[in-house]
């Protein structure tokens, strides 16, 4: 039987270990188990597991005259370490007051990553691995949230009386009516620029009339839905994430759950429905304003009559192109609102976390819009 003692400064602690390697061991702690000496004590205690590899570990606290929450945390981590190594663990002579302090330790919170983890240098491969794990976790969370959101959408469609239509109308105004002026200006300028740049080349060959076809077809098929989706993602998707994230930080969502409300149905569904209704309408307006911008160039710069320009525009696409653009805009609306709500629900921390969620909502939405549009381009090419 060996005995090892560690003496520290007055008002600190004394730690003694009795036991042989591979056999039962007893760690006797006396003095203060407090925050000021917890780092040193933690290192010495944890080293015992590797040095002795005991068959049973007992901690004797008969000499402890003061223990705070840091000391209780040490006991919890010793127990977790022993369980991880399948070592029976026990605590002896823990006072009633010490038991009360030990009960205050939230064991579940110990497994949650720190809000501001200590930064440490990681090599290239480790950094790549960490990013890959984060990306995989993000994909899993997105798929899980998407499944829950789709289920809630179908549930709301079957029982429309459960939808908060008042909030839906409010979000339709914010996303649609309030966003229409900037969308109209951007679309008008886009159509004008496209018509002007294309006219510089086409008029050399006497093909001025095809400026109308180029602007009309490009807007209805591709640019109208994409421009609208990007604008809605920047304005409304970020606003959805910020609103829900702020409620999460202020524990308002926890209060909703406590009162029996489903946050998905209460907060997300009105936003998603508002986006599904508004984005296709905004897309049609974007097409019209861009065509009007091209019309201005055609009439003033190419000597075309408004009737000729509009007739050529109308002949450049058909109902299939218009329906395909509307279908794409509906899918974009679900992606934008869904990602915005998901990033909001994932907020944990303070104002910085809300800002990060807002940025992440916009970036993720833009990425998914491009990927989805590419997928649509391939699918529609084979359908037509």
């Amino acid at each position: 039987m060996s005995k090892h003692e560690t003496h520290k400064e007055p008002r600190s602690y004394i730690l003694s270990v009795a036991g042989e390697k591979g056999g039962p061991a007893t760690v006797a702690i006396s003095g203060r188990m407090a925050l000021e000496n917890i780092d040193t004590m933690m290192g010495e205690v944890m080293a015992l597991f590797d040095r002795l590899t005991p068959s049973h570990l007992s901690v004797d606290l008969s000499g402890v005259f003061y223990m705070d929450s840091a000391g209780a945390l040490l006991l919890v981590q010793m127990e977790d370490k022993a369980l991880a190594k399948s070592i029976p663990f026990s605590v002896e002579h823990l006072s009633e007051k010490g038991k009360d302090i030990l009960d205050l330790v939230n064991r579940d919170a110990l497994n949650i990553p720190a809000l501001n983890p200590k930064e440490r240098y990681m090599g290239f491969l480790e950094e790549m691995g960490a990013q890959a794990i984060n990306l995989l976790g993000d994909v899993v969370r997105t798929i899980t949230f998407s499944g829950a959101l789709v289920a809630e959408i179908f549930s709301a469609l079957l029982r429309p009386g459960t939808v908060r239509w008042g909030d839906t109308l409010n979000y339709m105004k914010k996303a649609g009516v309030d966003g229409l002026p900037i969308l109209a200006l951007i679309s008008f300028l886009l159509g004008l620029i496209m018509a002007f740049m294309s006219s510089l080349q086409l008029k050399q060959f006497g093909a001025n009339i095809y400026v109308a076809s180029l602007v009309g077809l490009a807007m209805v098929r591709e640019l109208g839905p994409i421009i609208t989706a990007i604008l809605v993602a920047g304005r409304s998707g970020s606003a959805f994430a910020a609103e829900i994230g702020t409620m999460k930080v202020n524990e308002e969502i926890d209060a909703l759950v406590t009162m029996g409300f489903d946050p998905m149905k209460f907060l997300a569904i009105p936003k998603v429905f508002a986006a599904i209704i508004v984005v296709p309408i905004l897309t049609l307006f974007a097409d019209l304003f861009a065509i009007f911008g091209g019309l201005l160039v055609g009439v003033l710069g190419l000597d075309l009559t408004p009737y000729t320009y509009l007739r050529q525009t109308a002949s450049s696409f058909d109902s299939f192109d218009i329906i395909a653009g509307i279908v794409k805009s509906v899918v974009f609306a679900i992606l934008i609102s869904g990602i915005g709500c998901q990033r909001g629900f994932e907020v944990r921390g303070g104002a910085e976390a809300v800002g990060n969620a807002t940025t992440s909502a916009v970036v993720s939405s833009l990425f998914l819009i491009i990927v989805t549009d590419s997928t649509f381009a391939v699918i529609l090419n084979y359908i037509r």
Side-chain angles (χ1 to χ4, degrees), residues 132-248:
I133 292 174
N134 291 336
L135 179 61
L136 180 62
D138 189 38
V139 171
V140 171
R141 289 192 297 272
T142 301
I143 293 174
T144 304
F145 182 85
S146 300
L149 180 62
V150 170
E152 285 295 340
I153 290 175
F154 279 109
S155 175
L157 291 176
L158 293 176
R159 293 180 297 173
T162 62
V163 179
R164 302 172 68 222
W165 293 110
D167 285 354
T168 304
L169 289 174
N170 184 38
Y171 290 120
M172 287 174 62
K173 174 185 176 299
K174 292 180 179 178
V177 178
D178 295 348
L180 182 59
I182 184 64
L183 178 68
L185 177 62
I186 292 175
S187 301
F188 173 79
L189 293 177
L190 182 63
L192 191 145
I193 292 170
M194 288 174 57
F196 178 74
M197 296 304 296
S198 60
S199 67
L200 296 179
Q201 300 299 321
L202 293 176
K203 69 181 179 181
Q204 299 178 29
F205 307 100
N208 295 348
I209 190 65
Y210 293 111
V211 170
S213 301
L214 189 149
V215 174
L217 189 60
M219 287 303 301
V220 172
R221 274 193 180 183
E222 294 293 336
L223 295 181
I226 288 184
I227 291 296
T228 305
I230 291 175
L231 184 72
V232 174
R235 289 188 75 257
S236 303
S238 59
F240 294 164
E243 180 182 326
I244 296 178
T246 304
M247 293 182 68
K248 187 74 180 294

Side-chain angles (χ1 to χ4, degrees), residues 199-371:
S199 67
L200 296 179
Q201 300 299 321
L202 293 176
K203 69 181 179 181
Q204 299 178 29
F205 307 100
N208 295 348
I209 190 65
Y210 293 111
V211 170
S213 301
L214 189 149
V215 174
L217 189 60
M219 287 303 301
V220 172
R221 274 193 180 183
E222 294 293 336
L223 295 181
I226 288 184
I227 291 296
T228 305
I230 291 175
L231 184 72
V232 174
R235 289 188 75 257
S236 303
S238 59
F240 294 164
E243 180 182 326
I244 296 178
T246 304
M247 293 182 68
K248 187 74 180 294
V249 169
N250 294 332
E251 299 181 349
E252 296 176 50
I253 294 180
D254 294 336
L256 288 175
V257 174
T258 303
M259 290 187 291
F261 292 101
D262 182 358
M264 183 76 79
K265 185 179 297 181
F266 197 84
L267 298 174
I269 290 300
K271 296 177 175 62
V272 174
F273 276 12
I276 291 175
I277 296 171
V278 161
V279 173
I281 298 174
L282 288 177
T283 301
L284 294 177
F285 273 108
D287 297 340
L288 292 176
F289 279 103
I291 291 172
F292 181 69
L295 172 67
L296 205 62
V297 174
V299 172
L300 299 180
L302 301 176
D303 296 329
L304 297 174
T305 64
Y307 175 76
T308 303
Y309 187 93
L310 293 176
R311 187 183 63 181
Q312 184 64 26
T313 299
S315 64
S316 63
F317 54 83
D318 54 24
S319 57
F320 179 85
D321 297 316
I322 298 175
I323 294 173
I326 293 175
V327 171
K328 282 200 288 188
S329 63
V330 170
V331 176
F332 292 160
I334 297 174
L335 291 175
I336 294 167
S337 56
I339 289 293
C341 294
Q342 185 210 359
R343 293 296 189 260
F345 283 122
E346 289 180 347
V347 167
R348 192 171 66 88
E352 183 180 358
V354 176
N356 293 336
T358 304
T359 304
S360 177
V362 176
V363 173
S364 301
S365 297
L366 296 182
F367 174 75
L368 290 177
I369 287 169
I370 299 301
V371 172

